[in-house]
Amino acid sequence: MLVSKLYAPTLREVPAEAEIPSHKLMLRAGYMRKSSTGMYTYLPLAQRVLQKIETIIREELNAIDSQEILMPIVQPAEIWQQSGRWDVYGAEMWRLKDRHGHDYCLGPTHEEMITTLAHMDVNSYRQLPLSLYQIQDKFRDERRPRFGLMRSREFIMKDAYTFDKDEEGLNKSYQDMYDAYTNIFNRCGLTFRPVEADSGAIGGSGSHEFMVLADSGEAEISYCTKCDYAADTEKAELNVIEADAEETLPKEKVVTPDCKTIADVCAYLKSPVEKSVKAVAYESEKGLILCFVRGDHEVNEIKVINTCGVNQLEMASPEALEAAGTTGGYMGPCGIDPKKAIVVCDQTVMKMHNFCCGANEEGYHYINVNPGRDFSPAFVADIRLMQEGDPCPRCGGKIAKARGIEVGQVFKLFTKYSEKLNATYLDENGKSRPMYMGCYGIGVGRTMAAAVEQNNDKDGIIWPVEIAPYQVIVVPINIKDEDVKEKAFAVYHDLKKNGIEVILDDRDERPGVKFKDADLIGYPVRIVLGKKTLDKGQIEVKIRKTGAMQMLPADNYVNGIAEILAELKK
């Protein structure tokens, strides 16, 4: 490819809509253009990166005998109604009707579709295990699309599904896919970490997210500094903290004027924050949910959703609190009518003694509150968010945190969908049994964006060699100099002939413009040809990642370039 023919319109200014590095740089470097809110057109450079990621995915999945198919993005409502998800999936699902008035959706995911497919054709244990995958567009009508490809409405995803006879088979399929994912992200040149995760709207139990480590990551990872435990902070399990035993004191209602925060209450009562309980209130399809954690802890919404069996949470309104007999800033677990609100207490709260909490009345708190004697919640569970310095639930070591970008996730679905959609098989004894399923996704566009988030500097993108649009750019200083031009084209053709992906900047532009564009776009290796260096029988080579420069012989450079690229892949 010649740069003069390349459709990659670069921008000198950062678009106002862009907030994170990948969004800014992929717009500026001519990789994509916004077509509508949360939707983008991929230009040639991005398409080359996407194709490379897809090729790596295909090679690794084919290696574990997963077979590629392609399912429609438009899905009939009937299969979603049969699974029970049509009415509960949420506004992210874009529902539509055809000319006959039949209901459809733009597929946000394909569990129902693939399970229906297996139901049609798989009927014997002899056909299992079965592993199928596709690389397909998905659509989720995000409430607030942002960050470019990180939270878009239309996106490219690889989704795979496995079908097995039993849980033992599922575990093997899951591990095979887990290992394939590890290979995929290693080959993409990414620094990542698999972490325990929540299954979310897809359901099932047993899940890992593959997180690319980056300061701009939208997810928080908790990991042990001593063992290999790592989890999405929303999923991280926490052990109960038991307070030291003490004499039980009588509950007492005290005045706490203008004390609506835990800090204010504890300061006013001269009480340590560890002896207090704070509240967070949500509204859900099951009504008001009042959550209580120790004063120095935070509520984990995902754990609350899973504990209460609801689909989503919204912060409670003052009117909802008033209807339940409480008020903001003074909520407590004592005296709440279970018909008006669901009370959920963190397991650590139930091991506390003589603590202070809201009295459900403006300007008042209780002191010396004790669980069991003074209140009995509807649910007791681990509902708190893991914090830096918490003990590791595996080994007791210290927990640290990092930011990450989710690029892939693997789930054990078990029989959640096969039972509802009648995906059964006949076992060795002729008995009908539901198939055990696994679900495995990779955000292809997110992987591209995550690579940029992890690999950039003030000048632009620094692509890992494995997924760079081109590995090498040849830059002649003066294209009007016939000797320089002739050598530049010779180098270009020589590298192409030897299997190196190369692009030649043949534009009649100042060297500074060419260098800036090369750095912005992120080619891993830059070869510069000028009259002075050629007169010395040399060409200049610069490595984008390190900035290191070296000279190679002008008549013997192919092996040198190949060695540089091989080193960059390590």
Side-chain angles (χ1 to χ4, degrees):
M1 174 58 67
L2 303 179
V3 172
S4 61
K5 295 181 178 180
L6 178 67
Y7 181 48
T10 57
L11 305 173
R12 294 303 169 207
E13 300 298 323
V14 177
E17 70 192 75
E19 300 175 69
I20 61 174
S22 63
H23 195 189
K24 295 175 183 177
L25 291 171
M26 293 181 74
L27 287 173
R28 281 192 56 214
Y31 282 82
M32 65 186 193
R33 286 293 180 262
K34 178 180 175 180
S35 57
S36 183
T37 303
M39 293 184 280
Y40 295 88
T41 296
Y42 299 113
L43 303 186
L45 288 172
Q47 188 65 3
R48 287 183 64 88
V49 176
L50 291 170
Q51 287 172 346
K52 288 188 171 188
I53 294 170
E54 291 173 4
T55 296
I56 291 171
I57 290 171
R58 287 187 170 99
E59 289 174 355
E60 293 299 331
L61 294 193
N62 293 346
I64 59 169
D65 295 328
S66 194
Q67 302 172 71
E68 185 170 6
I69 61 173
L70 187 61
M71 294 179 280
I73 187 173
V74 177
Q75 303 182 27
E78 288 84 354
I79 59 177
W80 286 79
Q81 291 163 347
Q82 192 175 347
S83 75
R85 291 207 295 173
W86 181 258
D87 295 320
V88 301
Y89 194 90
E92 288 77 22
M93 180 191 285
W94 194 339
R95 296 163 174 83
L96 60 154
K97 292 181 182 288
D98 68 7
R99 67 178 67 192
H100 305 294
H102 298 148
D103 288 316
Y104 292 86
C105 70
L106 293 182
T109 184
H110 277 71
E111 285 76 34
E112 283 79 2
M113 183 71 76
I114 194 73
T115 310
T116 302
L117 180 68
H119 164 71
M120 292 178 184
D121 299 304
V122 180
N123 49 45
S124 168
Y125 72 94
R126 298 179 190 278
Q127 296 169 275
L128 301 175
L130 175 65
S131 179
L132 303 171
Y133 75 94
Q134 67 168 352
I135 299 176
Q136 169 67 288
D137 281 1
K138 297 280 195 294
F139 192 94
R140 293 177 190 164
D141 196 9
E142 291 279 354
R143 175 183 296 180
R144 191 185 174 200
R146 58 191 307 215
F147 302 147
L149 302 184
M150 291 299 176
R151 191 180 295 174
S152 57
R153 295 199 293 167
E154 183 176 355
F155 52 96
I156 303 169
M157 176 174 279
K158 184 287 302 174
D159 47 327
Y161 305 89
T162 57
F163 299 86
D164 285 278
K165 295 188 298 181
D166 49 29
E167 187 172 350
E168 182 182 354
L170 170 59
N171 290 340
K172 182 182 184 307
S173 294
Y174 186 91
Q175 188 62 50
D176 287 346
M177 199 66 71
Y178 182 102
D179 293 341
Y181 273 41
T182 300
N183 293 340
I184 287 165
F185 296 121
N186 276 329
R187 287 183 60 187
C188 286
L190 301 174
T191 301
F192 66 96
R193 188 160 191 165
V195 301
E196 295 179 14
D198 183 77
S199 296
I202 288 178
S205 60
S207 178
H208 286 84
E209 289 173 340
F210 285 76
M211 293 282 195
V212 170
L213 304 182
D215 292 338
S216 57
E218 83 279 36
E220 190 174 62
I221 302 166
S222 296
Y223 64 94
C224 181
T225 55
K226 188 175 179 182
C227 73
D228 62 357
Y229 173 80
D232 186 315
T233 298
E234 292 180 337
K235 168 69 175 177
E237 301 169 3
L238 289 156
N239 296 328
V240 62
I241 302 172
E242 293 202 35
D244 294 336
E246 57 185 85
E247 181 185 353
T248 300
L249 301 175
K251 184 179 74 171
E252 184 180 347
K253 187 176 181 180
V254 296
V255 177
T256 51
D258 299 320
C259 292
K260 291 193 174 186
T261 69
I262 286 295
D264 291 340
V265 172
C266 292
Y268 183 80
L269 297 176
K270 296 180 174 57
S271 174
V273 69
E274 295 84 0
K275 295 276 288 180
S276 68
V277 164
K278 69 179 175 185
V280 181
Y282 301 100
E283 292 182 64
S284 73
E285 70 269 24
K286 291 187 177 180
L288 184 67
I289 300 176
L290 300 180
C291 304
F292 297 93
V293 295
R294 202 172 77 177
D296 57 338
H297 294 163
E298 300 295 332
V299 172
N300 184 325
E301 289 188 13
I302 297 299
K303 291 181 180 179
V304 174
I305 287 172
N306 293 336
T307 297
C308 297
V310 296
N311 294 305
Q312 57 186 17
L313 300 173
E314 300 285 347
M315 297 306 295
S317 66
E319 293 76 18
L321 296 179
E322 184 179 354
T326 187
T327 184
Y330 297 94
M331 291 181 285
C334 303
I336 296 294
D337 186 344
K339 295 179 181 177
K340 295 182 178 180
I342 300 169
V343 174
V344 185
C345 285
D346 182 66
Q347 55 192 3
T348 291
V349 170
M350 304 305 288
K351 299 296 183 180
M352 295 171 64
H353 314 291
N354 300 320
F355 60 76
C356 71
C357 64
N360 299 310
E361 182 181 347
E362 183 84 23
Y364 290 91
H365 278 75
Y366 286 125
I367 59 172
N368 301 327
V369 174
N370 287 273
R373 183 194 71 179
D374 299 320
F375 67 92
S376 296
F379 293 99
V380 175
D382 168 20
I383 61 164
R384 75 179 178 96
L385 204 62
M386 182 173 274
Q387 297 174 326
E388 194 116 23
D390 273 337
C392 170
R394 297 285 189 272
C395 74
K398 293 290 186 183
I399 287 293
K401 290 190 174 183
R403 305 299 300 180
I405 300 165
E406 180 196 340
V407 290
Q409 189 165 7
V410 290
F411 306 84
K412 292 180 182 178
L413 298 176
F414 292 91
T415 60
K416 173 182 170 70
Y417 293 92
S418 55
E419 287 181 346
K420 291 180 178 178
L421 293 161
N422 301 316
T424 60
Y425 72 96
L426 297 179
D427 67 11
E428 294 89 335
N429 300 314
K431 185 175 180 180
S432 180
R433 298 186 181 278
M435 300 178 208
Y436 279 70
M437 293 177 58
C439 170
Y440 318 90
I442 290 177
V444 180
R446 280 177 70 91
T447 299
M448 175 169 64
V452 177
E453 290 294 328
Q454 198 174 75
N455 299 279
N456 69 83
D457 61 15
K458 62 181 178 58
D459 295 317
I461 302 169
I462 307 170
W463 284 111
V465 171
E466 299 86 341
I467 60 173
Y470 293 94
Q471 299 169 324
V472 177
I473 183 168
V474 176
V475 182
I477 293 290
N478 181 6
I479 198 69
K480 291 181 177 179
D481 185 312
E482 287 300 323
D483 291 338
V484 171
K485 180 179 179 180
E486 181 181 349
K487 185 60 178 178
F489 273 88
V491 171
Y492 168 68
H493 289 298
D494 227 8
L495 294 177
K496 279 180 64 178
K497 187 169 61 178
N498 283 274
I500 293 171
E501 297 173 347
V502 60
I503 186 168
L504 170 62
D505 194 340
D506 60 330
R507 296 175 298 169
D508 184 14
E509 288 280 5
R510 289 178 290 108
V513 172
K514 295 182 179 184
F515 296 160
K516 281 186 176 295
D517 281 349
D519 285 346
L520 177 61
I521 290 169
Y523 305 113
V525 175
R526 185 182 78 195
I527 297 175
V528 178
L529 296 100
K531 182 174 175 52
K532 290 182 179 179
T533 52
L534 287 177
D535 286 346
K536 296 178 182 178
Q538 296 178 318
I539 60 173
E540 177 187 288
V541 179
K542 181 178 179 181
I543 299 171
R544 175 73 178 90
K545 184 176 182 178
T546 63
M549 299 179 69
Q550 65 183 85
M551 307 303 291
L552 292 177
D555 58 354
N556 185 15
Y557 48 82
V558 174
N559 288 341
I561 296 297
E563 288 171 4
I564 290 171
L565 292 173
E567 188 65 29
L568 288 174
K569 290 180 181 180
K570 291 181 180 179

